[in-house]
Amino acid sequence: MRTSREVTVIGGGVVGYTCAHRLARAGHEVTVITADPPGRTTSAVAAAVWFPYEAGPADAVLRWGAESLRAFTALAADPRTGVSLRRGLVLHRTPEPDLWWTAAVPAAETVVDGLPAGVVSATRCTLPVIDMGRYLGWLVAEAGVRTVVGEVRDLAEVPGPVVVAAGLRSGGLVGDDGLVPVRGQVVRVANPGLTDWLIDDDNPAGLTYVVPRASDVVCGGTAERGERSVEPSPAVEGAILDRVRALVPALRGAPVLSRAVGLRPARPVVRLDRVVEGGRAVVSCYGHGGAGVTLSWGCAADVVALLEV
């Protein structure tokens, strides 16, 4: 029989609360300790179209991503979640793009006509788009767990089994110096009627994406490795808008609604493992790069399994 245990999850972003949700559903009593409220985490900045960006290893990412894709597809049936299924294009600027991620995506097809200059081909598919402003609120409420706002500086402060899912703060808690911030800046503009998303991560002028939501469009972005400033740069914003307007002319003249910066927690591979320290289990779940949302449900399933060994 499965025995209920008190479990502490450190981290109040999408990975932490998804782990908390699954642990609670498995019968555990869960407390989330978060340094920042969910709406002020890196997760809240994400454009959050399902896409395994800046995460490894490929085989595990594909498995976690496929599990999450199934979960988000089911959640799209509930308007409270902020999840919708939208069609879009991933642009390719080389003749033989690496399409490893399409193994998890049903009905992906190749497009060669009507593409922007410099684009050789594109992959068209339907993927979940997650409005993080709505989704994080739904996820926290649905998890139904205890939340404590505060920063953990030493795991000795936390009793019992613990899940470390605190993004960039995770490294200091478990002695991992391999985490690197990857700065991402976005600008949100009024939606002129767009429904399809677009990803152009090989754009020679810089990472570019356009992700329409109900009333706005998330435009990005940047991937500045090692940068820690969370202040939006007007010059960077201008360059982002130039790139997205060149690809999607309908965005010309769309008023800017807001802007934000997030620091993606990157490492060579996602760390998801279990160790025993001081007689209690410590499960690490961090280093998702730009794919925290994309991998969240799959990684959370593995966290539950590791804690129930």
Side-chain angles (χ1 to χ4, degrees), residues 247-264:
L247 289 172
V248 185
L251 291 174
R252 294 171 184 164
V256 172
L257 302 178
S258 64
R259 48 188 60 85
V261 171
L263 302 180
R264 306 178 184 100

Side-chain angles (χ1 to χ4, degrees), residues 91-101 110 120-123 202:
L91 305 184
H92 311 305
R93 294 177 179 269
T94 57
E96 297 182 1
D98 187 354
L99 300 179
W100 64 276
W101 56 274
T110 300
V120 176
S121 65
T123 298
D202 291 331

Side-chain angles (χ1 to χ4, degrees), residues 2-282:
R2 182 177 291 169
T3 302
S4 174
R5 292 189 292 177
E6 293 185 5
V7 179
T8 300
V9 176
I10 303 174
V14 68
V15 173
Y17 268 105
T18 308
C19 290
H21 183 288
R22 285 215 143 157
L23 285 164
R25 293 300 177 275
H28 300 285
E29 297 180 27
V30 183
T31 297
V32 173
I33 303 178
T34 177
D36 299 306
R40 292 176 54 191
T41 61
T42 295
S43 299
V45 178
V49 58
W50 182 100
F51 194 71
Y53 178 72
E54 289 284 338
D59 55 348
V61 165
L62 194 62
R63 178 172 62 82
W64 295 326
E67 173 71 14
S68 298
L69 181 59
R70 289 189 289 269
F72 283 122
T73 299
L75 290 174
D78 184 347
R80 299 174 303 162
T81 64
V83 180
S84 59
L85 298 178
R86 293 178 178 265
R87 192 176 70 161
L89 292 174
V90 180
L91 305 184
H92 311 305
R93 294 177 179 269
T94 57
E96 297 182 1
D98 187 354
L99 300 179
W100 64 276
W101 56 274
T102 59
V105 178
E109 60 180 357
T110 300
V111 178
V112 295
D113 296 322
L115 299 173
V119 176
V120 176
S121 65
T123 298
R124 176 183 287 134
C125 52
T126 297
L127 295 174
V129 172
I130 301 95
D131 183 333
M132 295 304 289
R134 294 169 58 192
Y135 179 71
L136 285 172
W138 172 87
L139 181 61
V140 171
E142 188 71 11
V145 301
R146 178 172 175 255
T147 297
V148 176
V149 177
E151 185 171 354
V152 176
R153 299 183 183 278
D154 190 322
L155 291 185
E157 302 171 15
V158 182
V162 62
V163 177
V164 179
L168 284 174
R169 290 187 172 95
S170 300
L173 293 172
V174 295
D176 180 357
D177 60 3
L179 270 171
V180 176
V182 177
R183 184 181 185 275
Q185 180 167 330
V186 299
V187 54
R188 303 180 185 101
V189 302
N191 192 340
L194 300 180
T195 57
D196 291 8
W197 50 265
L198 181 149
I199 297 173
D200 185 11
D201 59 2
D202 291 331
N203 191 310
L207 170 65
T208 307
Y209 51 84
V210 175
V211 182
R213 306 188 298 190
S215 59
D216 65 4
V217 182
V218 183
C219 301
T222 63
E224 300 166 277
R225 195 171 185 85
E227 293 294 327
R228 291 184 176 273
S229 172
V230 293
E231 290 298 318
S233 162
V236 169
E237 179 176 306
I240 290 171
L241 291 173
D242 286 345
R243 296 198 301 274
V244 300
R245 288 165 179 165
L247 289 172
V248 185
L251 291 174
R252 294 171 184 164
V256 172
L257 302 178
S258 64
R259 48 188 60 85
V261 171
L263 302 180
R264 306 178 184 100
R267 71 192 303 273
V269 297
V270 174
R271 182 175 180 184
L272 208 172
D273 60 23
R274 177 184 188 269
V275 298
V276 176
E277 295 182 357
R280 55 88 176 265
V282 176

